[in-house]
Each structure stands twice: as C-alpha cells, then as structure tokens.
Amino acid sequence: MAETNTARDQALELNREQKAFYEKKVEHKRRLNPVMRLWEAWRDRVYRIWEGIGVFDDVLKLHRKWVGDLTGKRVLDLGCYTGNRLSLELASRSSFYLGIDLSENALTKLRERLEKAGIRHAEVRAVDFLSKDFDYEPFDLIYCNAVLHHFKDFDLVMSLLSQRLAPGGRIVSFDPLETAMVVRFVRWLYRPFQTNAAWEWPFKQHNFDTIEKYFRIDKVQGVVGLSKWVLPLAALPIFSNATTRLGRKLHETDLRKSRQLDSRLWRCMSVNLCLLQKGPAATSNRGA
C-alpha cells in the first residue's frame, strides 16, 4: 500500500507540473527552443494533411459508433481541455456529464460552450483524476481523447480507470503510438529538446499488456500507418490533389487492415481503443 501511495504521489506531483505548464501555455510557446518551434510547425502541417485525407473525420465517426446510446448514462470526459470534437455531444446525450482537466483556464472556455448550447446537466471541474479529491460515483463511459499517453505510470492510471468504470461500462480512447521504427527514430531525435517530455509517453507494445491486465480490448483501430508515407510531403508548400487522393487511399487501407494487435497496427502512428471491464470470459484481441 505504501508503494502504491508513493507512486500516486509522484504522479500527482508530475501532474502539478503539467498543470502549471498548460496554464501558461501561451507564455511557454513564446519561449520555445528552435527545435520545438520547428517540430510544432511540422506537426501543424502534418495535422492539416491528416485532416485533408479524412483521418480526423473518420476517427470522430468511429468514436460516435463505439460510444453508442448514452440515454441515462453517466459520462466522464477525461482531460477534455477546452472541449474536444465530441464533448458537447457527450454532454447533450447523457444524463450526467463531467468534463475534467488540469487547466482551469481551458475549462472556462468549455463552460461557456456548454452554457451557449443550453446544456444544464453538465459539470466541469479542474481536478486531478489521480487525486483523492476525485470523489464521483463510477461512470458508464470514460472518454479519453489524446489523454492516456500523458501518464508515465501507466499501470496506476489503468488501475484507477478500472475502479471508476461502472459494471458494463466502456472506455473509448485515442492516443499516439511509438511502435513503427521511423516514428521511434524521429521521436528519439526530438525528445532531448522536448519541453513537455515528462508527460508525453506515446504507446509502445508493452502498454497493451498493461491494458489487458485490467480490461478486455473490445475494439482496435489504428490510423496513419501506410498513409504516414505521404507525410514527408508536408514540407512542400502545396499539398496536391493527387497526393491527397493517394493519402486517402492508403488511409482507407489502414482502416481495413489495422484492427488487431499485430504488425499492421504497429506501423500506425495513432490507435483508437474501445475497452470493456475484464470478466472471466474475456479473450485477447491480439492478432496472429
């Protein structure tokens, strides 16, 4: 028990550092080193390519399908920041919605969006999910959009998620992968200059072993696998229609092929997961 408390205390301290960073995000951005500035410019360009070939739209459709009917359900939007692409839908379709984040500044904007949409049964709170101050009843859905890779102690967060998920509930998540060799190499070059490296831990294969200690992996969908090979074109000022069509075709292949824990998933840059509570009849979703 003492070891568990120590691990949680260390994770909480790291989250306090992360909170301070994001509360002053604009100030930190002005003070970025040249490598970080180049990385962020490249990443923004890459995300525009992802958008152009339909990655973000297809992820949104997938998450809507996995989330399912929320009538009478309790929803936790973990690490929601100012609100993700599903936040308002999750709030409007559920019986109770809680959006939490470390940044009070970001949550102010989400509150404004909820009020403007006329959603009254939603709560927004700046609280650490790992903290004992998080005193809510279990949730039927825990939505984690680009959140879970921020926890270095992955076993700890998986354990807490399992405690805070109601019987029959599910977790829907989206996170970056660091399993493809080219991705590992690029991140290895970049990490010494990364100002937020302490809370950036893209998934590796061992993360899935930890997940399966606590949950059944019901569904898997990798994205930006084969289609990552059009990303070098992000350096070009014009992303041509022909390249967009090629990227879309490769993305559609990723959607068809990267649905199991196997080599076709490991080539992807990001992964979507639908997790269920682990029961006695649970089976692994690993590919051959």
Side-chain angles (χ1 to χ4, degrees):
M1 180 63 71
E3 184 177 343
T4 301
N5 288 336
T6 299
R8 182 181 287 197
D9 289 342
Q10 291 173 347
L12 286 168
E13 177 58 33
L14 186 59
N15 279 356
R16 282 190 284 271
E17 294 177 20
Q18 185 178 177
K19 177 180 179 178
F21 179 90
Y22 285 108
E23 291 287 15
K24 299 181 178 180
K25 188 175 182 180
V26 174
E27 178 184 337
H28 282 294
K29 195 163 186 175
R30 284 197 293 264
R31 298 184 341 207
L32 289 177
N33 61 63
V35 175
M36 281 290 292
R37 288 182 182 277
L38 181 62
W39 175 270
E40 292 215 347
W42 173 265
R43 185 187 60 188
D44 291 345
R45 179 64 178 164
V46 164
Y47 283 174
R48 287 196 293 272
I49 292 179
W50 285 24
E51 186 172 9
I53 64 179
V55 173
F56 293 126
D57 286 343
D58 288 333
V59 166
L60 182 63
K61 292 175 186 176
L62 184 70
H63 287 194
R64 280 183 177 136
K65 180 178 179 181
W66 288 357
V67 162
D69 183 9
L70 295 178
T71 304
K73 300 294 178 66
R74 292 170 50 82
V75 173
L76 172 63
D77 196 353
L78 179 60
C80 58
Y81 203 57
T82 59
N84 54 66
R85 297 180 75 182
L86 264 186
S87 291
L88 294 186
E89 290 185 37
L90 297 176
S92 64
R93 293 168 49 201
S94 59
S95 63
F96 175 71
Y97 167 90
L98 173 65
I100 68 169
D101 197 89
L102 298 174
S103 173
E104 180 61 52
N105 293 340
L107 292 177
T108 297
K109 296 180 181 179
L110 178 56
R111 287 191 188 94
E112 292 172 355
R113 294 176 62 194
L114 290 166
E115 290 174 5
K116 185 176 181 180
I119 300 172
R120 307 301 180 192
H121 56 277
E123 182 178 340
V124 175
R125 183 179 173 191
V127 62
D128 194 321
F129 180 74
L130 306 182
S131 169
K132 294 178 181 178
D133 292 335
F134 189 91
D135 53 358
Y136 293 86
E137 295 295 320
F139 293 85
D140 302 294
L141 170 71
I142 301 178
Y143 187 63
C144 310
N145 186 49
V147 172
L148 298 182
H149 70 283
H150 289 307
F151 296 93
K152 182 178 181 180
D153 192 333
F154 195 63
D155 190 280
L156 173 63
V157 73
M158 287 293 106
S159 174
L160 290 175
L161 282 169
S162 69
Q163 296 172 34
R164 291 165 178 170
L165 187 66
R170 66 182 56 196
I171 295 170
V172 175
S173 67
F174 173 79
D175 285 282
L177 281 171
E178 194 176 329
T179 50
M181 185 177 297
V182 65
V183 176
R184 291 200 303 270
F185 178 70
V186 171
R187 286 191 174 274
W188 175 76
L189 290 175
Y190 156 66
R191 193 167 181 84
F193 306 95
Q194 189 178 359
T195 55
N196 58 347
W199 51 84
E200 284 287 331
W201 304 96
F203 285 9
K204 299 180 181 180
Q205 292 185 34
H206 66 77
N207 288 94
F208 295 87
D209 295 326
T210 303
I211 290 170
E212 289 186 312
K213 284 174 57 179
Y214 298 98
F215 301 100
R216 178 165 65 89
I217 301 178
D218 183 51
K219 295 181 178 64
V220 178
Q221 180 64 70
V223 292
V224 197
L226 290 174
S227 57
K228 69 177 175 288
W229 298 112
V230 303
L231 297 183
L233 298 171
L236 301 177
I238 298 176
F239 188 44
S240 70
N241 291 335
T243 308
T244 302
R245 288 195 296 271
L246 173 61
R248 178 65 194 177
K249 184 175 180 179
L250 294 174
H251 168 58
E252 290 173 349
T253 301
D254 290 332
L255 290 178
R256 292 194 306 271
K257 301 291 186 179
S258 304
R259 296 180 177 176
Q260 297 187 68
L261 304 188
D262 60 16
S263 60
R264 289 169 295 187
L265 177 67
W266 306 141
R267 72 190 178 195
C268 294
M269 292 182 67
S270 293
V271 62
N272 303 271
L273 296 170
C274 181
L275 309 178
L276 306 179
Q277 287 185 323
K278 196 164 188 177
T283 58
S284 173
N285 199 26
R286 289 189 181 278

